């Protein structure tokens, strides 16, 4: 069974850090592009970061998280991580990871959402004092 499971979310104060994990089962995650997305209450789901093993593990980030978030991979654990530093209240959302079965011709992109095929159920991140 193909499955993605996110973990690592929680409550953190502004300026704090969290590391989210996206663990895959049923397939090898490093063979595909993986994206991180988030959805805040009342807002549309948006792309946050992605990594593509087919382009030397290149990464791409939405402007609002550049310099604060970093995506990385641990192939031995079949897991992709999202390190989030200097968190802000606007980062509060449910965070999802997703995999794209079709390789990107160049750097991975964060949209449209339909470009990603298999999704996890998400993990809640709340940034509040």
């Amino acid at each position: 069974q193909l499955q993605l499971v996110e973990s690592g979310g929680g409550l953190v104060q502004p300026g704090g850090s969290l590391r989210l994990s996206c663990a895959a089962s049923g397939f090898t995650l490093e063979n595909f592009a993986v994206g991180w997305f988030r959805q805040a209450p009342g807002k549309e789901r948006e792309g946050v970061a992605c990594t593509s093993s087919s382009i030397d593990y290149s990464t791409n980030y939405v402007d609002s998280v550049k310099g604060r978030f970093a995506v990385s991979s641990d192939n031995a654990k079949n897991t992709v991580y999202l390190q989030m530093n200097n968190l802000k209240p606007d980062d509060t959302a449910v965070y999802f990871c997703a995999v794209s079965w079709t390789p990107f011709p160049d750097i991975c992109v964060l949209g449209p959402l339909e470009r990603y095929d298999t999704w996890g159920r998400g993990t809640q991140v709340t940034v509040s004092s």
Side-chain angles (χ1 to χ4, degrees), residues 79-103:
T79 299
V80 171
Y81 302 98
L82 182 67
Q83 177 67 42
M84 306 186 296
N85 300 324
N86 191 20
L87 282 160
K88 305 175 181 180
D90 285 348
D91 295 319
T92 296
V94 178
Y95 283 72
F96 303 86
C97 64
V99 65
S100 173
W101 300 122
T102 303

Side-chain angles (χ1 to χ4, degrees), residues 1 24 26 29 38 41 47-49 60 64 66 68 74 77 83 85 92 96 99 105 113 116 119 124 126:
Q1 181 179 0
L29 203 55
R38 65 187 179 186
V48 175
N60 194 11
S64 61
K66 285 181 180 178
R68 301 189 298 123
D74 186 334
K77 295 183 178 180
Q83 177 67 42
N85 300 324
T92 296
F96 303 86
V99 65
L113 300 182
Y116 289 82
W119 292 75
Q124 176 70 46
T126 303

Side-chain angles (χ1 to χ4, degrees), residues 3-79:
Q3 191 175 15
L4 293 171
V5 178
E6 302 94 337
S7 62
L11 173 64
V12 63
Q13 292 186 344
S17 298
L18 283 174
R19 189 179 76 159
L20 305 183
S21 300
C22 173
S25 59
F27 66 101
T28 302
L29 203 55
E30 69 170 310
N31 294 334
F32 305 98
V34 178
W36 283 97
F37 301 82
R38 65 187 179 186
Q39 188 165 17
K43 295 186 177 181
E44 294 185 352
R45 191 171 300 189
E46 67 167 347
V48 175
C50 61
T51 182
S52 176
S53 61
S54 62
I55 314 292
D56 295 329
Y57 295 94
S58 61
T59 55
N60 194 11
Y61 301 89
V62 68
D63 286 347
S64 61
V65 308
K66 285 181 180 178
R68 301 189 298 123
F69 290 12
V71 62
S72 62
S73 304
D74 186 334
N75 295 332
K77 295 183 178 180
N78 209 24
T79 299

